[in-house]
Amino acid sequence: MPLRVTLAEDSALLREGLVSILARFGHEVIDAVADAVALTATVEARRPDIVITDVRMPPGNANDGLRAAVRLRQSFPGLPVLVLSQYVDQSYAAQLLDSDDGQGVGYLLKDRVGAVVEFNAAVEQVAAGATVVDPDVVRQLISRRPDPRQRLTARELEVLALMAQGRSNDTIGKRLHVTDAAVNKHVGNIFSKLDLPVTTNGHRRVLAVLAYLRS
C-alpha cells in the first residue's frame, strides 16, 4: 500500500533523492523538512504513516533528528520511524530500538540507500510494524559487550547480524551459502551462548536479539 511519509534530511541533494526513490515505489512524501524542529511540528500536525529521519541535523547539528524521533515515539506510540545515518549513536539508538518493544522501528546506515529495492523493503517493513536494523549497526552494538567474540564464532556473528534484520533461516542459508541444517545449528548455538529464549517467531526472534544488544 502507498505510504504517507514525513522525511527529515538536512542535505537538499539527499532529501530530493529520497523523495524520488520513495515516489518510484508509489509512496507520497507529504513533508520533506531540513531540521528537527520542523520534523516535530509536521508530524504533530499531519500524523504520517512513517517518519524517515537523519540523525545529525539542525538546529544543534548533533543528534537532533534521532532525539526528535525518540520523543515522537513517546508522544505517538506506534508511530513507525526509520532512522538513516552515517554513524551509530549508541545511546539514543538503544532508546529508539527499545521504544514500543522495538516494533515499527529501523536504523539503517545511509550506504544502504543506494540499494533502492532493499531500502524500500525496509521502509515498508518498518511501516508494517517490523524491526529492521543495519548489520553494521548490529556489529557496533555488539562491540559494546565485553568480549563478545569469545562467546560467538565469526560465522555465528554473521548469522546474528542477519537475524537482527529479521531474516529467516532459509534466507540466511542462501546469503551465507550454507545448508538449512548448518543455519539451524548456528542459531541454536547463538541462543544458547547468549542465554536467549529459543523461538521460531520471526519478530520475537529479532526482539530477543535486540534485547541482548541493548542489555
Side-chain angles (χ1 to χ4, degrees), residues 93-99 101-102 141 144-145 206-207 209-215:
Q95 288 188 42
L96 181 69
L97 294 171
D98 201 36
S99 60
D101 292 327
L141 291 174
R144 298 185 307 159
R145 300 300 301 262
V206 172
L207 295 182
V209 174
L210 291 177
Y212 166 74
L213 296 175
R214 292 194 302 266
S215 62

Side-chain angles (χ1 to χ4, degrees), residues 19-39:
V19 170
S20 176
I21 290 172
L22 291 165
R24 185 189 310 181
F25 291 95
H27 307 309
E28 178 189 4
V29 177
I30 58 174
D31 288 294
V33 300
D35 64 78
V37 175
L39 168 61

Side-chain angles (χ1 to χ4, degrees), residues 15-209:
R15 188 168 62 247
E16 292 304 314
L18 289 169
V19 170
S20 176
I21 290 172
L22 291 165
R24 185 189 310 181
F25 291 95
H27 307 309
E28 178 189 4
V29 177
I30 58 174
D31 288 294
V33 300
D35 64 78
V37 175
L39 168 61
T40 300
T42 188
V43 170
E44 291 176 346
R46 306 194 66 179
R47 297 298 300 274
D49 296 321
I50 184 172
V51 171
I52 301 175
T53 182
D54 188 10
V55 169
R56 181 171 293 174
M57 63 173 57
N61 293 315
N63 56 5
D64 298 59
L66 181 53
R67 287 189 286 115
V70 171
R71 290 194 299 269
L72 286 169
R73 293 266 291 181
Q74 293 169 345
S75 299
F76 303 104
L79 174 68
V81 171
L82 175 60
V83 169
L84 301 177
S85 181
Q86 292 178 331
Y87 70 102
V88 180
D89 183 303
Q90 294 187 352
S91 58
Y92 279 98
Q95 288 188 42
L96 181 69
L97 294 171
D98 201 36
S99 60
D100 286 339
D101 292 327
Q103 299 185 57
V105 66
Y107 199 122
L108 296 181
L109 298 184
K110 288 183 176 179
D111 290 346
R112 309 293 175 188
V113 176
V116 294
V117 174
E118 291 187 10
F119 170 68
N120 179 65
V123 171
E124 294 181 352
Q125 289 166 10
V126 171
T131 309
V132 178
V133 186
D134 193 289
D136 287 338
V137 175
V138 174
R139 293 187 188 101
Q140 291 191 46
L141 291 174
I142 288 174
S143 69
R144 298 185 307 159
R145 300 300 301 262
D147 301 321
R149 293 183 184 275
Q150 292 185 6
R151 305 183 74 182
L152 300 180
T153 66
R155 177 62 85 184
E156 288 166 356
L157 286 169
E158 289 181 297
V159 172
L160 177 64
L162 291 169
M163 286 170 59
Q165 290 181 276
R167 306 297 184 185
S168 67
N169 284 8
D170 181 61
T171 301
I172 292 172
K174 291 176 180 177
R175 286 285 187 95
L176 301 181
H177 306 290
V178 297
T179 65
D180 289 345
V183 175
N184 288 332
K185 181 179 179 181
H186 290 315
V187 171
N189 288 342
I190 289 167
F191 276 85
S192 176
K193 291 179 181 180
L194 303 185
D195 300 321
L196 293 173
V198 177
T199 175
T200 57
N201 180 288
H203 186 63
R204 290 182 182 275
R205 189 164 78 164
V206 172
L207 295 182
V209 174

